Amino acid sequence: MTATSLPPNSAPRVRVRANRLVLYTVLVSLTGLFIGPFGWLVLNGLKTSAELAASPVHWLPTDFQWQNFADAFNLIDFLGYARNSLIIALIYATLVTLSSAWVGFGFARLDAPGKKPLFGILIGSMMLPQMITLLPTYLIFAKLGMVDTYWPWVFWGLAAAPYLVFLFRQFFAGLPRELEEAAIVDGCGYGTIFWRIFLPQSWPVLSASFVIAFTWSWGDYIAPQLLLSTDKSTLAVAVMTTYVTSAGTPVANLQAAASVMYVVPILLIFLIAQRGFVAGMSTTGLK
């Protein structure tokens, strides 16, 4: 072997290391791209009002204003609004996950005339913007006397969600047909098959659906603003509407600090349910 020759297996190893370096570089860049807005929000929550209004931009606070977080927490009934958001999000996420699982089971395992066109209409409804259904929805709930109550979220949860129905339908369609055939031979109906056989096996999709639905409800601003009074409103509405001066000008640094505290519960829920969420999203398309 000469001084410049390489071991026989060195070239593939060099290529593998180069590919890993490129992959890690891309992943780190994407991570910074996604974390960047949240980091900027945290920095804004630590600045003074003068620093936020300064030109050119002050990228870092001169003196970290940790008091902004305490002020944002104390100036409003932060825990009360957070409790309202939690109640609504739990009600909606639980009901819509179960109802979507039931509908997805029907589309995946039952045969009925017009099932495919109906499923196509269901998937097509995902393209409808929320603003189109906002006024009719408000009028319906107003006629039923459900404005300023949490009943709209109950009915929305019971009505299932097209995207979650699609996730469950894909997952249930991939389970072996022998599972339900054996249960039918044992005398089980489809209700029993769903609750005792299919649903317990769908925990990855259940976890993913619950996290998605919880995030939808927790982050919703329009529906609580439209349907609920100030006392029953959610933290999303409070963060956007209550941190203002006497002249109605938003106090941006307090809004940023409150927004950071508003996002933390979602991050914690995702971190806790991360394994199930990733597993659910990765298995719904497998046969």
Side-chain angles (χ1 to χ4, degrees):
M1 182 182 298
T2 62
T4 58
S5 62
L6 296 175
N9 297 328
S10 62
R13 292 178 182 176
V14 171
R15 286 196 297 269
V16 170
R17 291 177 181 176
N19 291 336
R20 287 182 178 177
L21 179 61
V22 172
L23 177 61
Y24 292 156
T25 303
V26 172
L27 292 177
V28 170
S29 301
L30 290 176
T31 302
L33 182 65
F34 287 112
I35 294 180
F38 182 72
W40 182 247
L41 184 67
V42 174
L43 289 176
N44 285 342
L46 294 171
K47 295 178 182 178
T48 63
S49 299
E51 287 176 328
L52 282 176
S55 180
V57 176
H58 282 205
W59 294 100
L60 293 176
T62 305
D63 187 16
F64 290 95
Q65 302 294 316
W66 297 104
Q67 185 63 31
N68 287 344
F69 288 88
D71 292 340
F73 187 86
N74 294 323
L75 285 176
I76 65 172
D77 185 11
F78 198 93
L79 291 180
Y81 288 120
R83 181 186 64 248
N84 296 342
S85 294
L86 183 62
I87 292 173
I88 290 175
L90 287 177
I91 290 174
Y92 175 76
T94 302
L95 293 178
V96 80
T97 297
L98 295 177
S99 62
S100 298
W102 178 245
V103 176
F105 173 79
F107 277 116
R109 314 303 292 200
L110 303 180
D111 294 322
K115 184 180 75 171
K116 290 185 178 180
L118 186 60
F119 185 70
I121 294 173
L122 179 73
I123 296 302
S125 65
M126 290 192 297
M127 295 185 291
L128 292 175
Q130 184 185 11
M131 297 301 295
I132 293 179
T133 60
L134 193 60
L135 182 58
T137 300
Y138 176 81
L139 293 176
I140 291 173
F141 289 133
K143 291 290 186 181
L144 295 174
M146 294 181 181
V147 175
D148 202 23
T149 70
Y150 294 156
W151 279 107
W153 284 267
V154 174
F155 284 98
W156 281 327
L158 293 175
Y163 178 67
L164 301 184
V165 170
F166 173 76
L167 289 182
F168 280 104
R169 187 258 185 190
Q170 294 298 99
F171 180 81
F172 288 142
L175 295 180
R177 181 67 65 175
E178 291 77 12
L179 286 174
E180 63 191 88
E181 291 176 350
I184 292 173
V185 170
D186 291 338
C188 296
Y190 277 101
T192 304
I193 293 173
F194 170 73
W195 287 105
R196 300 188 63 179
I197 298 176
F198 278 70
L199 195 63
Q201 296 192 52
S202 63
W203 69 266
V205 192
L206 287 172
S207 176
S209 299
F210 184 86
V211 171
I212 293 171
F214 190 95
T215 304
W216 286 345
S217 182
W218 184 271
D220 187 16
Y221 170 82
I222 297 177
Q225 175 75 340
L226 185 66
L227 296 172
L228 298 177
S229 63
T230 302
D231 293 337
K232 295 182 179 179
S233 193
T234 60
L235 191 58
V237 177
V239 168
M240 294 302 298
T241 59
T242 56
Y243 296 104
V244 294
T245 63
S246 57
T249 306
V251 184
N253 56 345
L254 295 186
Q255 280 188 340
S259 298
V260 172
M261 295 186 287
Y262 166 73
V263 171
V264 166
I266 294 296
L267 296 178
L268 293 178
I269 290 174
F270 178 78
L271 290 175
I272 294 172
Q274 179 182 11
R275 181 176 298 179
F277 180 83
V278 174
M281 297 303 292
S282 62
T283 58
T284 49
L286 299 179
K287 287 282 187 178

